[in-house]
Amino acid sequence: MNQKVTHRQMVLIIMLLSITGTLLQPHTQAIFYAEQHAYLCYVPVILIMFASMWMLSRVQRRFPDKDLFESLVTRYPFLGRLAGFMYIAFFFFVFARDIRLTGDYVSITLLETTPISIIVLSLIVMAIFIVRGGLGSLIGMVELYVALFILNSIIVPFMLIKQINIDNLKPFFDIDFAGVGRGSWYLFSFYGEMIALPFVVRGQDFKTKSIFSGNVLTGLLMMLIIVETITSIGVPIASRLVYPSYELARQLQISDFLDRFDLALAAATLPCIITKIAFDLYFVCWGLKRMIPKVSGKVLTGPIALMGFVCAFWFFRNAIQLNRFTREWTWIAIVFEVIFPMVFFLFLRPRKKETQHAPHSDSGERTSKGKQHGQEREQNSMESDDQTDEKSGDQKRKETLGGGNLQPS
């Protein structure tokens, strides 16, 4: 049975799925193509993902007590399982990519002398223990670390006041729409990973209000971060960095004593990235449990994580391949983040027998209740008639007895 998820938790999970990967990698490509207007690249991405998530929310409303995996399997046993396995393969690749990307990020920024295999293996071990705790442990970590990340993102602009140069955003109105479109292309695949949420959440918890709030807050926060990057670092440098978010953190200097405040920000951001990796692993294990009911998700956690560890180094040799593959990866992501939601919206509906069963049962209950009321009325009327008959008989007996005494002999 799926755990109940509140509106606040839904918003935070959407932010987790969309922020972590986007924060590390594709901002460089967006700034390279859209230049000073890279923040506008999020506008079409937000609109497209809101439409996709809205369609899935309408689908989930038709199956209020089920997640999307269960809805697919119960409605279309073969095609539903086929679509489910395709989504599992998609997010398994995302899991392998995320641990490889995070391993490179930690190796370059924090642990330069530690072998990357040891770093990735440590990330996998932490993800395994998180996933074994179930969705409740994931939600608990999301509520803690995403809230901490939001707090840091709000505080950082005040620390960057001395480094911000508004001239880096000029010219303000000379917008290269083609470049903005290409930047949106690179951002889309990372931002659209929120599509995993309806597969692990019940339909009655997956509401349009949460989708709208999560999309808007995530988009505004990422726009703020990319504007901070451009104004403090500049377009020529930011467009050639591997991890512009880390370089943005290095610009922070509160005083001569705290000249490495980037370490504190990395300590607050890294748990969010690890939680995102754990969510990817949880999605794959949960999906296999739904597709194959006899399989235990906890038993599969370790083997799937080790397989992801192997595939992470098999698919990508270095960070350059990760960076270049973003352009081709969007073609694949569009299928799962746009096309499949449209197909589900059009064709995934409950059977007519199931929809007609509820009204028939209601009418049957009403008729049975009406019959019961009718029988009770008949019984009450019969009892009242019997009582009146008894009363009239008693009166007649009294009259006859009294009249006999009064008559003369």
Side-chain angles (χ1 to χ4, degrees):
M1 186 66 182
N2 301 74
Q3 181 175 339
K4 181 176 178 58
V5 182
T6 62
H7 168 71
R8 183 190 72 256
Q9 293 169 350
M10 285 277 294
V11 173
L12 293 177
I13 294 173
I14 289 174
M15 298 181 72
L16 173 78
L17 296 177
S18 300
I19 286 176
T20 50
T22 312
L23 183 66
L24 292 182
Q25 186 174 357
H27 275 180
T28 299
Q29 289 99 334
I31 296 173
F32 181 80
Y33 289 107
E35 296 182 347
Q36 71 272 16
H37 298 105
Y39 58 92
L40 295 178
C41 298
Y42 278 101
V43 175
V45 173
I46 293 171
L47 295 177
I48 294 172
M49 284 312 303
F50 177 75
S52 296
M53 296 289 281
W54 177 82
M55 287 188 286
L56 290 181
S57 69
R58 301 296 296 183
V59 173
Q60 287 291 83
R61 188 175 297 181
R62 303 166 190 167
F63 304 91
D65 297 329
K66 301 177 182 178
D67 56 60
L68 196 53
F69 273 129
E70 193 175 2
S71 304
L72 287 169
V73 172
T74 54
R75 184 62 182 90
Y76 300 104
F78 175 72
L79 293 177
R81 279 186 169 83
L82 180 62
F85 278 118
M86 292 176 69
Y87 268 97
I88 291 170
F90 175 76
F91 275 95
F92 176 78
F93 188 91
V94 171
F95 169 68
R97 183 208 65 194
D98 285 346
I99 58 177
R100 187 72 169 93
L101 180 63
T102 307
D104 283 326
Y105 175 76
V106 174
S107 178
I108 293 173
T109 58
L110 298 176
L111 305 175
E112 298 179 358
T113 59
T114 305
I116 188 173
S117 59
I118 303 300
I119 296 173
V120 174
L121 190 61
S122 302
L123 296 174
I124 288 176
V125 171
M126 287 185 283
I128 289 173
F129 282 104
I130 295 171
V131 172
R132 285 183 177 274
L135 187 60
S137 63
L138 275 172
I139 292 175
M141 293 190 67
V142 168
E143 288 184 313
L144 176 61
Y145 294 115
V146 175
L148 183 61
F149 177 80
I150 295 172
L151 181 62
N152 288 333
S153 301
I154 296 174
I155 294 174
V156 164
F158 297 99
M159 300 179 181
L160 286 171
I161 292 177
K162 294 182 179 180
Q163 285 81 18
I164 286 178
N165 185 8
I166 302 298
D167 293 337
N168 292 332
L169 293 175
K170 294 180 180 179
F172 297 113
F173 302 106
D174 186 15
I175 302 173
D176 182 10
F177 290 100
V180 171
R182 296 188 69 177
S184 301
W185 179 265
Y186 284 92
L187 293 174
F188 177 76
S189 61
F190 289 85
Y191 189 88
E193 291 175 11
M194 66 176 73
I195 206 73
L197 192 55
F199 287 90
V200 298
V201 175
R202 291 181 302 177
Q204 60 186 0
D205 298 332
F206 193 72
K207 299 178 181 178
T208 306
K209 179 182 177 181
S210 304
I211 297 168
F212 178 78
S213 302
N215 259 295
V216 171
L217 291 177
T218 304
L220 292 177
L221 186 60
M222 299 309 293
M223 286 182 181
L224 175 64
I225 292 174
I226 203 169
V227 167
E228 293 171 0
T229 305
I230 293 172
T231 53
S232 61
I233 301 175
V235 173
I237 298 176
S239 61
R240 288 168 172 82
L241 294 173
V242 180
Y243 302 113
S245 59
Y246 176 70
E247 190 63 31
L248 175 65
R250 290 185 62 186
Q251 300 296 316
L252 301 176
Q253 291 183 358
I254 300 177
S255 65
D256 295 336
F257 178 70
L258 294 175
D259 58 344
R260 288 302 305 272
F261 193 74
D262 56 310
L263 297 177
L265 287 181
T269 306
L270 195 58
C272 291
I273 302 173
I274 296 172
T275 307
K276 169 61 168 55
I277 293 172
F279 189 92
D280 296 336
L281 181 59
Y282 177 83
F283 181 93
V284 175
C285 297
W286 179 259
L288 290 175
K289 180 182 177 182
R290 285 301 193 193
M291 297 297 105
I292 310 172
K294 296 182 180 180
V295 171
S296 175
K298 288 186 177 181
V299 174
L300 289 176
T301 305
I304 291 173
L306 292 177
M307 187 183 298
F309 172 77
V310 175
C311 293
F313 293 95
W314 181 28
F315 295 157
F316 306 103
R317 295 181 180 178
N318 48 42
I320 297 175
Q321 287 189 349
L322 277 169
N323 198 353
R324 291 179 177 177
F325 187 68
T326 306
R327 181 180 61 183
E328 290 78 12
W329 178 243
T330 305
W331 288 107
I332 302 173
I334 284 177
V335 177
F336 295 93
E337 297 171 2
V338 177
I339 297 177
F340 273 178
M342 295 174 63
V343 174
F344 296 157
F345 177 73
L346 295 175
F347 297 104
L348 187 58
R349 301 176 182 274
R351 292 184 178 90
K352 294 182 179 180
K353 294 182 180 179
E354 297 178 357
T355 56
Q356 293 176 358
H357 180 69
H360 282 309
S361 62
D362 295 339
S363 61
E365 291 177 358
R366 291 174 183 173
T367 54
S368 62
K369 289 180 180 178
K371 290 180 180 179
Q372 291 177 358
H373 288 301
Q375 292 176 358
E376 291 176 356
R377 290 175 182 174
E378 291 178 357
Q379 291 177 357
N380 293 330
S381 63
M382 291 174 66
E383 291 176 355
S384 61
D385 292 337
D386 294 338
Q387 292 176 358
T388 53
D389 292 339
E390 291 177 357
K391 291 179 180 179
S392 62
D394 294 336
Q395 291 177 358
K396 288 179 181 179
R397 290 172 185 172
K398 291 178 181 179
E399 290 175 358
T400 54
L401 291 173
N405 294 328
L406 290 174
Q407 288 180 356
S409 56

